[in-house]
Amino acid sequence: MLKTVEEIQQAINDIDQKMKSSEGLAEKDHIILLLASLMEEESHGSPREVR
Amino acid sequence: MAAQEKSDKILSANNKKTIALIQLTRIGDLVQTLIACKPLREQHPDVRLILIARPQFYSGIKFLLDEVFDEIYSFDPKVLIQDNLDRSKEEVKRLVSRLSVENISALINCTYSRPSAYLCQLIKADHKLGPWYDEHNNLRINDPWSQFVYSNVLETTLNPFNLVDLFKKIIGIRAEEKSQVTKEPPHNSRAHKITIHPFASASRKQWKPSKWSEIIYKTLKDNPQVTITVLGSEKEKALADEMISKPTLKNLKHRIISKVGKTSIQDVYKLLKASDLFIGHDSLIGHLAALAGVQTLTVSLGSVRPTETTPYHANAYLLSPRTKCFPCKPNDHCDYFQCHSDISYQATSACINQLITTREISGDALEKNNSSFLIGAVDIYKSELNSESGFSLIKISTSPVSLADIYRKYYRIAWSFILDKKDLCTDFPELSSSTHKELYASLENIQQLYELNEFGKKYSRYILEEISSEAPKISKIKEFSHKIDEIDRLAELLSGANPYLGPIVNFYSVKKGNLKGDNIVQLAENSYLTYQEASNFCSVLHEFIEKNILQFKRSDDTATKPKSI
């Protein structure tokens, strides 16, 4: 799991670079962002109550 | 072989339209989504309806979901998050490619979370409703009712609509003609079997066990024919034991049946169906009771917003505290839950006794037979389901209508008119001298917000004029654009000073963030139209308040009855 977190962090850094250069994101980038947001949500006890 | 059969099933189903819903939140939200989709299934049996949900939430109510949805796709974090990134990516791709075979006509994201918006981005569909991320990682919400949910349900306490109605509005489900399955309580017959669920998802939303013990004691003592079944999950067992083991209940134990930790959700549903009355806090069980068609009495506390989550049926009663800070936000710090004390066990028992004996609550009778000190701290509502306007809560207690309730009524009419082009006919809210004074003071703020929107129109028009001039200057366009930013900041400051304007400012801020258009001309045109709509909204609200104040002054003079808007 820890390895996955590190790999995702690295992938997100690459996505940030892409976004800075106004390049559109590809499907693989959105998959990374989905996984990152899901892991963050899970770490708060899924899913956080918003209301 | 099974996979082939499934693929054939999907391919044959592809001849009909497919609507997919993403609902990744808890069971209560899933039940509300299910209630919203029921009429869609009835009105369009030919549509293929699919649901994407978390198995931890849908598995318990699959027996109900299967009646409405043709297929449920599992969005399981345990499967999607693996110990290796490549495997995690493969799992997401597998889910997305299974969904791509569905040939989805409309994908509707009913969840307002980042994972759901990214999932919505990845799934191919002809139309997308609800939040999703575009290729530049900007959150997009294109349809007005999803914009409304995003800007009002999460951010203000003045949303006048039940979540079921909001899901229906997003999906585009017509109002139901035969709206309810709730069995009408038989006249002159007392309630015998009461089911209670004295728990909720957070401690701020539920009373302590000792208060429930008092209520159980009073109900059983006053009504010798009544038995009470207590529901709850395994983790609530200790609290339930504390509640039932009070010495006062010792001689009444034979009339208390505890099913806490002993039932599946399907068992709970069967128990509810056999009940005469359900009493509980805001939780999944209340929504199940509405589905089971049993009368409900909900005690709303803490961060619960009664308008949004009261069980969706025509036979719902609700008690909510008149505490100033109610409803709070889930993360607000609170050492002493004043709202828990403001609904006394005596007031609750008085309501329960009325429901047991007459199957309804009368505000007048309550006031006549109980101390105003106890009754005055509680607002009591009865639900109303209307094929035109959906679900609403009608106040039946005689305490003055709060300013928040008055605004909710205005907003209900105004949003229905602006977003649905529906003209709701309803009475003016009744004003007291204090709400009259506050409304009168609000008129100036509404006027200011109107003027800000008129400025927004003016600068959007200037941008259009500059673009269409012979030699457009980018510096001029930037200058007007900065002015527009300034106007939006001032509108936010105004809503900070008068939170009752928050719904308008928030909604049009989200709408402006999602302007349609591929070029500056289209964006400026749509900016102009959005400010125009916001101006109209302010005019409508200003007019309501002016008329209501006038009507109050007249009725104060002549004691006439309220007239319709």
Side-chain angles (χ1 to χ4, degrees):
Chain A
M1 181 69 98
L2 194 63
K3 195 174 165 236
T4 311
V5 174
E6 283 169 7
E7 285 174 314
I8 283 190
Q9 192 51 56
Q10 181 53 49
I12 284 179
N13 292 344
D14 297 342
I15 293 169
D16 281 345
Q17 287 304 319
K18 253 187 180 180
M19 279 163 58
K20 275 181 193 157
S21 61
S22 301
E23 205 180 318
L25 302 185
E27 185 191 71
K28 64 182 172 67
D29 301 319
H30 282 114
I31 291 176
I32 296 289
L33 291 166
L34 164 65
L35 286 166
S37 59
L38 187 59
M39 285 172 83
E40 195 209 341
E41 196 173 83
E42 287 295 295
S43 70
H44 288 94
S46 70
R48 272 181 294 169
E49 187 173 12
V50 287
R51 284 194 306 280
Chain B
M1 188 63 185
Q4 181 60 45
E5 271 175 24
K6 197 168 177 183
S7 178
D8 290 347
K9 208 170 113 190
I10 292 172
L11 284 172
S12 71
N14 274 352
N15 295 326
K16 43 188 186 179
K17 294 255 183 221
T18 299
I19 297 177
L21 280 100
I22 302 175
Q23 180 51 279
L24 302 183
T25 35
R26 291 168 184 276
I27 314 180
D29 298 72
L30 265 176
V31 176
Q32 287 183 296
T33 309
L34 166 75
I35 296 171
C37 289
K38 267 189 137 182
L40 178 66
R41 168 51 71 227
E42 285 158 17
Q43 288 163 14
H44 299 282
D46 52 326
V47 164
R48 178 166 165 81
L49 211 50
I50 63 175
L51 175 71
I52 303 154
R54 293 181 195 234
Q56 69 186 107
F57 299 133
Y58 76 67
S59 53
I61 55 165
K62 196 166 179 301
F63 68 100
L64 292 169
L65 294 167
D66 283 344
E67 288 175 15
V68 171
F69 295 98
D70 294 290
E71 182 105 31
I72 302 173
Y73 282 85
S74 170
F75 180 88
D76 189 351
K78 284 187 189 136
V79 172
L80 298 173
I81 302 171
Q82 297 281 334
D83 53 5
N84 164 314
L85 183 58
D86 287 337
R87 281 222 292 279
S88 297
K89 289 198 286 195
E90 280 311 311
E91 288 298 337
V92 176
K93 276 186 194 165
R94 190 170 297 147
L95 172 65
V96 172
S97 65
R98 279 174 62 215
L99 283 159
S100 70
V101 183
E102 286 282 1
N103 199 12
I104 296 166
S105 309
L107 176 65
I108 304 160
N109 183 7
C110 299
T111 321
Y112 289 75
S113 70
R114 287 171 63 216
S116 71
Y118 282 118
L119 183 64
C120 199
Q121 206 290 331
L122 289 164
I123 300 169
K124 285 184 177 57
D126 297 341
H127 303 282
K128 289 183 183 181
L129 302 172
W132 57 282
Y133 283 99
D134 68 12
E135 70 269 29
H136 295 289
N137 205 29
N138 296 314
L139 186 68
R140 307 296 303 178
I141 310 174
N142 293 334
D143 58 300
W145 281 110
S146 293
Q147 289 173 350
F148 175 86
V149 173
Y150 192 76
S151 59
N152 271 263
V153 174
L154 309 180
E155 294 298 327
T156 81
T157 58
L158 296 171
N159 160 36
F161 302 106
N162 189 286
L163 278 182
V164 173
D165 280 331
L166 286 172
F167 290 146
K168 283 185 186 178
K169 286 171 188 295
I170 292 168
I171 301 167
I173 297 171
R174 291 197 309 268
E176 291 156 86
E177 292 304 325
K178 47 169 187 119
S179 54
Q180 270 309 304
V181 291
T182 305
K183 58 186 177 200
E184 275 300 313
H187 290 292
N188 304 322
S189 81
R190 284 167 165 255
H192 288 78
K193 291 181 187 167
I194 296 180
T195 305
I196 68 168
H197 177 244
F199 309 108
S201 59
S203 59
R204 69 174 66 219
K205 296 187 194 174
Q206 68 184 47
W207 274 328
K208 292 221 163 86
S210 54
K211 193 144 179 173
W212 276 105
S213 303
E214 303 264 24
I215 287 165
I216 294 171
Y217 171 75
K218 187 93 174 71
T219 304
L220 292 176
K221 189 172 154 277
D222 292 351
N223 303 281
Q225 83 286 6
V226 161
T227 56
I228 290 179
T229 302
V230 184
L231 301 174
S233 66
E234 182 67 39
K235 65 179 179 189
E236 288 150 347
K237 207 164 179 311
L239 286 174
D241 288 344
E242 187 186 337
M243 187 186 309
I244 297 165
S245 62
K246 292 275 177 208
T248 46
L249 294 175
K250 197 177 168 189
N251 295 330
L252 297 165
K253 265 195 176 162
H254 61 289
R255 289 164 58 203
I256 305 169
I257 305 151
S258 175
K259 293 282 181 187
V260 179
K262 297 175 190 164
T263 49
S264 66
I265 295 179
Q266 196 157 3
D267 297 333
V268 166
Y269 187 66
K270 282 180 194 158
L271 282 167
L272 288 167
K273 273 194 162 267
S275 299
D276 298 317
L277 171 64
F278 168 78
I279 307 164
H281 294 300
D282 177 88
S283 79
L284 154 76
I285 313 296
H287 300 306
L288 283 178
L291 264 178
V294 60
Q295 187 172 50
T296 57
L297 175 66
T298 307
V299 180
S300 291
L301 301 171
S303 54
V304 171
R305 295 165 190 205
T307 322
E308 290 169 10
T309 55
T310 297
Y312 190 89
H313 66 146
N315 211 350
Y317 283 92
L318 171 90
L319 305 184
S320 70
R322 287 178 67 82
T323 321
K324 271 200 169 175
C325 54
F326 175 83
C328 57
K329 289 202 166 180
N331 295 325
D332 286 351
H333 178 76
C334 187
D335 287 325
Y336 175 69
F337 295 130
Q338 179 62 42
C339 60
H340 290 211
S341 313
D342 282 348
I343 304 183
S344 65
Y345 86 86
Q346 294 96 328
T348 311
S349 295
C351 292
I352 294 171
N353 281 350
Q354 278 203 19
L355 285 174
I356 289 172
T357 51
T358 66
R359 313 309 306 269
E360 57 186 20
I361 299 176
S362 150
D364 290 337
L366 272 180
E367 200 170 71
K368 200 173 150 194
N369 301 322
N370 295 278
S371 145
S372 58
F373 175 72
L374 296 172
I375 300 295
V378 188
D379 279 332
I380 306 167
Y381 299 88
K382 162 97 174 74
S383 64
E384 191 178 272
L385 257 184
N386 181 306
S387 61
E388 188 62 28
S389 60
F391 181 93
S392 56
L393 290 171
I394 310 297
K395 193 160 175 288
I396 53 175
S397 48
T398 50
S399 50
V401 182
S402 69
L403 194 60
D405 270 349
I406 291 169
Y407 267 101
R408 273 187 215 107
K409 196 158 188 177
Y410 294 148
Y411 277 129
R412 187 179 184 82
I413 303 163
W415 290 122
S416 300
F417 181 71
I418 300 273
L419 301 183
D420 264 353
K421 308 285 175 266
K422 262 188 192 170
D423 208 352
L424 300 184
C425 185
T426 177
D427 289 338
F428 276 125
E430 280 189 40
L431 305 187
S432 64
S433 52
S434 106
T435 50
H436 160 258
K437 204 172 150 188
E438 286 178 90
L439 281 174
Y440 190 77
S442 286
L443 284 174
E444 194 183 343
N445 292 147
I446 298 169
Q447 179 68 32
Q448 288 161 343
L449 187 57
Y450 169 83
E451 281 162 16
L452 283 174
N453 285 310
E454 288 296 305
F455 276 119
K457 276 166 68 180
K458 189 167 112 177
Y459 285 104
S460 303
R461 201 179 62 235
Y462 284 173
I463 292 176
L464 284 170
E465 284 169 1
E466 186 62 31
I467 294 165
S468 55
S469 66
E470 277 188 18
K473 287 184 187 149
I474 191 79
S475 60
K476 277 278 176 198
I477 293 172
K478 273 188 179 170
E479 184 192 324
F480 299 144
S481 178
H482 285 315
K483 283 281 180 198
I484 287 178
D485 290 344
E486 209 175 302
I487 289 162
D488 291 345
R489 275 199 300 276
L490 286 171
E492 271 174 34
L493 282 174
L494 194 57
S495 98
N498 185 344
Y500 292 105
L501 300 183
I504 313 174
V505 175
N506 288 354
F507 176 80
Y508 286 102
S509 164
V510 170
K511 188 161 179 167
K512 279 176 259 171
N514 286 280
L515 286 180
K516 286 177 189 149
D518 299 327
N519 56 57
I520 193 163
V521 176
Q522 287 174 354
L523 288 170
E525 276 173 354
N526 285 324
S527 166
Y528 178 90
L529 292 172
T530 303
Y531 282 113
Q532 168 79 55
E533 193 183 290
S535 277
N536 288 345
F537 200 112
C538 293
S539 302
V540 168
L541 189 61
H542 197 278
E543 199 182 323
F544 284 166
I545 296 178
E546 268 188 337
K547 281 188 175 173
N548 207 169
I549 286 174
L550 194 66
Q551 182 267 334
F552 169 76
K553 281 181 181 165
R554 279 189 197 142
S555 65
D556 211 28
D557 294 340
T558 60
T560 51
K561 285 204 157 191
K563 287 178 185 167
S564 291
I565 292 173

